[in-house]
Amino acid sequence: MAGREDGARRTEGESTAETTADRSWAWGLLDHLRPTGRDVRRVAAWLADTLGATVSLQDETGALLAGTRIAMDEDLFTDLVTGRIASASWEGEERCLRLVRVERPRPAAACVLAVSRPTPLDRRASEILVHTAQVVEVLLRADETTTTGDRLRRAASDLRLAILQLLMVEDTVSARRVAAGLWPGLLDTDTACVYVLECEAGQRDRLVEECLHLTAEQALVVRCPAVDEHVIVVAPGEDEGRTLTSLAGRHPRTFIGGSSRQSLAQTAGAYGQAVSALAVAHFRPDKAAVYAERTHPERLMDPAALREWTARALRPLDTLAHHTRAELLATTRLGLEFTAVSAAKVLGVSRNTVRARMERVEALLRTDFSDLTVRAVTHLALNHQVGLDGAAGSGTGEQAPRARLADLMAGPAVQTWAHELLARLDADSRDLRRTLRTWIAAGGNSERTAQILGMHPQTVREHVRSAEPVLERQLLSAGTDLYEVVLAHLAVGDLRPPVLDPAKPDHPDAPVHG
């Protein structure tokens, strides 16, 4: 049995109690290694309380990382940081100082953990300080690893967004080049489906990680820059789409809308389809919807005439450099489909840039996008131009018949479609058709429509909202649905057709004389 230094014999009970008291600090220190307690500032506070001292942790520049700043000799501090010495002690009349070097992950330099108190550190206090320095070193390494991991995840997220933005402006070559370096084979496809998933904003990071895991990173998963609750996924394969759709059923308040299969160059259009489908998903029991392949007016028009009209309508843009023209067309297409603010966030540019590009297109086409009929007709031309594979603007030759918008709308298939669509509104006694027609002519402005019809603006909005389920199209949000309804009104003659660039006598919609 061990004896005391004074020669008195220590009983087993006394030894156990004394050892427990000496080691109780270890349990407190270990608590700081738990996942919920890993914070060097809390460790410094614990050490100060345990030793009855002032504690500081400073980096190589002298910046305070934790605790309370302690004055110390600069040369001594430098020797510790550079590794010339591992620890140092200093005793004065009013305070005793102990300094310990704490390693950090390279390339960062070491830190200095300092303890200052009126009395010197005894064996127990010195042991606590040494072990605390080891815990601080572990926490600093863990923080650095976590920071590096977070930095890599942010970089990967930024790259995925950059790829999406390139696809949105039809730059598929650059998008594939960026993707190939990190995700080989990701865009080795000509077509893909776009999905938009919606969840609570606070759950989006979790949803992104789950999408990445379920698709084995074989789909482009992006945090939507325009809507905090949305995740955008460009899925080349069919399996990824089915897997993603299952997420809506497994998680509460999670919805998904998907596009039809589109070429990569039509990613912007597919995104619009997915957003439209997402709105429908909110009313589905399974919280999932795919864009309905309903009959679109452009599919009912004479293909040759539509091609020729599109080429002539967009001909003023042919004088631009190819990349400038593509940028303006892609931006305008998104700007017509969504708000300028949303389009700007999706493209990664300012809203002023979006407006400036659209104003340039307006100037070149000599038209006014504040007119809903102009927006609808321009939207028709831009969307059809995407499918021309670069032939838009080349025309169909001098011998091709001169196509006019009125000719496109006069076809029997278009006429039947338009009359059947708008006839759905006739059953409502509130004359929704008149309200909707006037609202479109007023540029979608409820106040102006109310003045014309002599009703309250809220009544106008209620009429337009009531027309949405009848027509099965969203009207209060600009986009494909609204523009199709505008084209239907143009086809039946309820609205005057817009005249694009009337100053050009050869323009497809210029008046014919003689």
Side-chain angles (χ1 to χ4, degrees):
M1 182 178 293
R4 297 177 185 267
E5 291 181 359
D6 58 6
R9 184 170 292 183
R10 182 171 57 187
T11 67
E12 184 176 348
E14 288 175 333
S15 176
T16 302
E18 204 169 289
T19 301
T20 302
D22 284 347
R23 292 295 178 180
S24 62
W25 59 265
W27 299 107
L29 184 57
L30 284 173
D31 279 340
H32 292 285
L33 290 175
R34 299 181 188 276
T36 56
R38 295 174 181 174
D39 186 342
V40 293
R41 290 169 297 185
R42 291 178 60 186
V43 174
W46 172 86
L47 181 61
D49 184 62
T50 302
L51 299 185
T54 301
V55 174
S56 78
L57 178 67
Q58 296 174 232
D59 67 12
E60 71 278 10
T61 67
L64 187 66
L65 301 180
T68 305
R69 184 174 296 281
I70 296 175
M72 62 189 77
D73 182 82
E74 291 185 6
D75 292 337
L76 187 60
F77 181 84
T78 301
D79 288 343
L80 285 162
V81 168
T82 56
R84 292 191 181 94
I85 57 176
S87 63
S89 297
W90 180 89
E91 295 183 13
E93 293 183 359
E94 297 182 355
R95 70 166 182 162
C96 295
L97 186 65
R98 178 71 65 86
L99 309 176
V100 179
R101 172 185 167 89
V102 178
E103 293 288 348
R104 295 181 71 185
R106 294 185 182 279
C111 294
V112 174
L113 179 63
V115 173
S116 174
R117 70 177 191 176
T119 59
L121 272 66
D122 56 16
R123 180 185 58 79
R124 175 178 177 274
S126 297
E127 186 178 4
I128 292 174
L129 175 59
V130 170
H131 284 290
T132 301
Q134 293 170 348
V135 168
V136 169
E137 183 175 323
V138 170
L139 294 182
L140 290 176
R141 289 183 181 276
D143 286 345
E144 185 64 26
T145 301
T146 302
T147 300
T148 300
D150 290 342
R151 190 180 301 118
L152 289 174
R153 282 189 289 271
R154 285 196 298 271
S157 179
D158 290 344
L159 278 175
R160 288 194 293 266
L161 175 58
I163 293 169
L164 176 66
Q165 290 169 340
L166 289 169
L167 292 176
M168 286 289 191
V169 295
E170 303 172 32
D171 192 350
T172 56
V173 174
S174 296
R176 287 191 175 105
R177 186 180 298 122
V178 174
L182 293 174
W183 302 284
L186 177 63
L187 296 181
D188 289 350
T189 178
D190 293 326
T191 62
C193 292
V194 174
Y195 296 88
V196 177
L197 294 91
E198 180 179 306
C199 64
E200 294 180 341
Q203 297 297 316
R204 184 166 71 163
D205 287 346
R206 182 267 307 164
L207 186 61
V208 167
E209 292 302 319
E210 193 163 357
C211 288
L212 289 170
H213 173 71
L214 289 175
T215 61
E217 296 199 8
Q218 293 305 301
L220 185 65
V221 181
V222 180
R223 291 172 178 81
C224 178
V227 183
D228 292 339
E229 296 81 11
H230 286 185
V231 176
I232 303 170
V233 181
V234 180
E238 300 290 346
D239 292 340
E240 291 86 359
R242 286 191 289 270
T243 301
L244 291 169
T245 300
S246 69
L247 287 173
R250 297 211 303 264
H251 298 295
R253 293 181 294 280
T254 299
F255 306 88
I256 181 171
S259 73
S260 60
R261 183 159 288 276
Q262 302 282 352
S263 70
L264 286 180
Q266 292 178 297
T267 299
Y271 170 62
Q273 289 185 354
V275 171
S276 180
L278 180 64
V280 176
H282 279 265
F283 302 99
R284 294 279 183 86
D286 59 358
K287 302 181 294 180
V290 175
Y291 186 73
E293 280 297 328
R294 62 183 181 232
T295 301
H296 299 290
E298 62 268 23
R299 298 181 183 178
L300 304 174
M301 299 174 183
D302 179 81
L306 178 57
R307 182 187 183 95
E308 198 273 341
W309 174 84
T310 298
R312 290 166 64 89
L314 301 179
R315 182 170 294 173
L317 301 175
D318 293 347
T319 58
L320 302 172
H322 174 74
H323 71 279
T324 301
R325 182 178 186 275
E327 183 178 70
L328 291 180
L329 291 179
T331 302
T332 302
R333 191 177 298 112
L334 274 177
L336 291 176
E337 194 73 41
F338 306 101
T339 65
V341 174
S342 295
K345 290 180 179 178
V346 170
L347 292 173
V349 298
S350 72
R351 57 186 174 184
N352 288 336
T353 298
V354 170
R355 292 190 179 111
R357 290 176 183 175
M358 293 184 69
E359 287 171 1
R360 187 175 181 187
V361 172
E362 278 183 301
L364 288 168
L365 298 182
R366 299 189 185 182
T367 191
D368 181 6
F369 287 157
S370 65
D371 187 326
L372 275 181
T373 61
V374 171
R375 292 174 71 92
V377 171
T378 305
H379 184 266
L380 171 66
L382 291 176
N383 278 356
H384 186 64
Q385 181 270 342
V386 174
L388 296 183
D389 297 328
S394 61
T396 57
E398 292 299 325
Q399 303 302 318
R402 186 171 181 270
R404 293 167 53 84
L405 179 62
D407 299 328
L408 299 177
M409 296 293 181
V414 176
Q415 285 291 310
T416 299
W417 165 80
H419 281 283
E420 289 181 351
L421 177 65
L422 297 181
R424 302 178 192 176
L425 299 171
D426 294 339
D428 197 296
S429 60
R430 293 174 293 177
D431 201 353
L432 299 183
R433 187 164 177 172
R434 182 188 67 154
T435 303
L436 185 57
R437 177 178 65 247
T438 308
W439 180 77
I440 292 173
N445 187 295
S446 298
E447 286 72 18
R448 196 179 309 144
T449 305
Q451 291 177 355
I452 296 172
L453 297 178
M455 60 176 62
H456 195 277
Q458 185 59 35
T459 304
V460 173
R461 284 187 282 270
E462 288 175 359
H463 282 200
V464 176
R465 194 174 290 110
S466 297
E468 289 184 324
V470 177
L471 299 176
E472 298 179 339
R473 286 163 172 81
Q474 290 182 297
L475 302 176
L476 291 173
S477 300
T480 300
D481 285 2
L482 173 59
Y483 300 142
E484 286 186 2
V485 174
V486 174
L487 292 178
H489 280 86
L490 291 173
V492 301
D494 282 356
L495 292 172
R496 295 180 59 184
V499 178
L500 302 180
D501 198 2
K504 292 200 171 202
D506 65 337
H507 195 276
D509 296 307
V512 177
H513 300 286

